[in-house]
Each structure stands twice: as structure tokens, then as C-alpha cells.
Amino acid sequence: MFLRLSGAAALMPSVGFGIEPLKPLAVARHVVDVGLKRPYRVLHVGDSHIARIDSRDGDALYAYARKRSRIGREMGEYYLDEAVAYARQRGLKIVHTGDLADFASVANLEYAERRFATDDFLPCVGNHEYWTAGANRAQETEDYKTRTLPLVKRAFSAMPCRTVALGGLNFLVFDNAFDDVTEPVVMAFEDAVRQGLPIVLVCHVPFALTGVDNSLACGAPSSRSSVLTRAFVERVRREPLVKAILCGHTHVAQVEPFSPTARQFVGGALCNGEAELIEFR
């Protein structure tokens, strides 16, 4: 059993005082009916927010990492290991919808590259994979990505997009980390439509949300998204082959209809011990 110290007890040497067990990985279960001959299951996780850093990253990023370490995301690496063990035991592919790293350190992105190469992942990039020292949401522009793009490309094969056929489904994995999509993503979507398989979109930022600030959504009227992105979202909404959208970013688990044929699954944060098993039938 893994234990952690809570509150002031974390500063005290007394064994057995203020110690509580870590909660187990919480896996919600969902079923998506798409008319497959046999079911296909994936483990959907995201927002691990791992915070590795070493001397290669410099003093500014080290100071930024210290600041980031105080916001309650320190269990991301533990729960990522738990998710990998859960998936291995059941023969599941892990769909990780962004923010495996909390910031773009060399150590974080090398870890992502090794992890994705070792285990059965289908990962997309999140906004935090691009963040360097002092980054904030106001700096999230396509030009900002160039600072860390070479490292990010090594870790994430879906740059800016990738289509993977699995279990009778077409998984379109793409980068919308800064609330926008680019022309290659639009073209890849149309290619997937022409292939005729049911489509599952895998991205970091949700397309549309109810009950939360839609400035966090990609292509919503109240967001900062481009005209191209808003047109793309509406095109996706009209396409009957689209059956599901898997995403994250908000750290709040939410499932809601996106179109007459598709539901959007916004995953909770893996750093908080949340995951979901999605079965396509």
C-alpha cells in the first residue's frame, strides 16, 4: 500500500501520525455504440502533469518548476504508472489526451518519449508540453510553439495530426493545444471521412462545453479560436461518421452529446487519479 503524509504531519518524524493511503485509480466506464463486429476498448487518460527537470534546463525553468510544484499535481507520475499497469493487465491501448508534462523541460519530454515508446500509447500533445519558463495562457500562440517544437516532435508522433486504424475505428489524433487547428488537421479529417470507418477524435482541448467557461473550448463562439477552427468544429458536428471525441484540459470529467452521432468525453485529470475505460461496440 502506498502512503502519503497529510498537512503538518508531512513535517513530523512520528511514524503512524497523519498518514493516509493514496486513493486507488478511479476508472469510470462508458459504452459507445458504433456498430462494430466485436468490441474495442481503450483506457482514456490525460493531464498527468509530470514535472521532471535537471541541470540541462537552466535556472529560469528550474525556478518555474519549483513554483509549479506547489499546485497539487505531484501524484501524476504515480497515477500514470497505475494507469499503465491497469492497461497492461487488460490488454488496452492508452489514449493520453495531452499534458503528460507540466512544462517543456528536456527531462519531461525525454520521459514522454521513452514512456510512449515502451507502452501501448496513443498520445496527443497538450498546451503544457509547449510551456517554457514563465509561460501562461496569454502566450499561447502558434508562434510560441516554435521554442519547443523540436523536442515535442520527438516525443509525440501526431504532429500536427495522425490517423490510426484500430479495432475497426479511425482514431484521428491532432494538436489543438492552443485552441486552434491548422490546415493539415482539416485535410486529415477529410481523408479519414473518405476512408469510411467510424471516427474517434483525440485532442487536448474540448470542442464545446456546457456548465463551464467556453473560453476553454476549441472553436466555441466565446473562445479565441480562428475562423478556420470554428468552421472545422462545425464540419465535424455535421459528419455522421464521427462517433466520439476524447479530450481533457479542464481537469473536470464530463460526458455530453456533441452532435446527433457523437459524444464528447472530457477526461478528469490523471494527476488526481481519474481515468475512464471506453468500450466501443
Side-chain angles (χ1 to χ4, degrees), residues 219-232:
S222 61
S223 75
R224 58 186 179 176
S225 301
S226 67
V227 173
L228 174 69
T229 300
R230 295 181 186 184
F232 174 70

Side-chain angles (χ1 to χ4, degrees), residues 156-228:
F156 293 84
S157 56
M159 298 297 297
C161 53
R162 176 188 179 198
T163 304
V164 182
L166 297 167
L169 302 162
N170 245 348
F171 287 81
L172 176 58
V173 188
F174 61 94
D175 179 0
N176 72 343
F178 288 177
D179 302 355
D180 269 325
V181 299
T182 55
E183 190 66 36
V185 174
V186 177
M187 296 172 63
F189 177 76
E190 297 301 339
D191 285 342
V193 170
R194 284 190 286 271
Q195 292 171 30
L197 294 176
I199 297 171
V200 178
L201 301 183
V202 177
C203 56
H204 181 58
V205 181
F207 275 7
L209 296 166
T210 58
V212 298
D213 180 4
N214 254 329
S215 64
L216 294 174
C218 176
S222 61
S223 75
R224 58 186 179 176
S225 301
S226 67
V227 173
L228 174 69

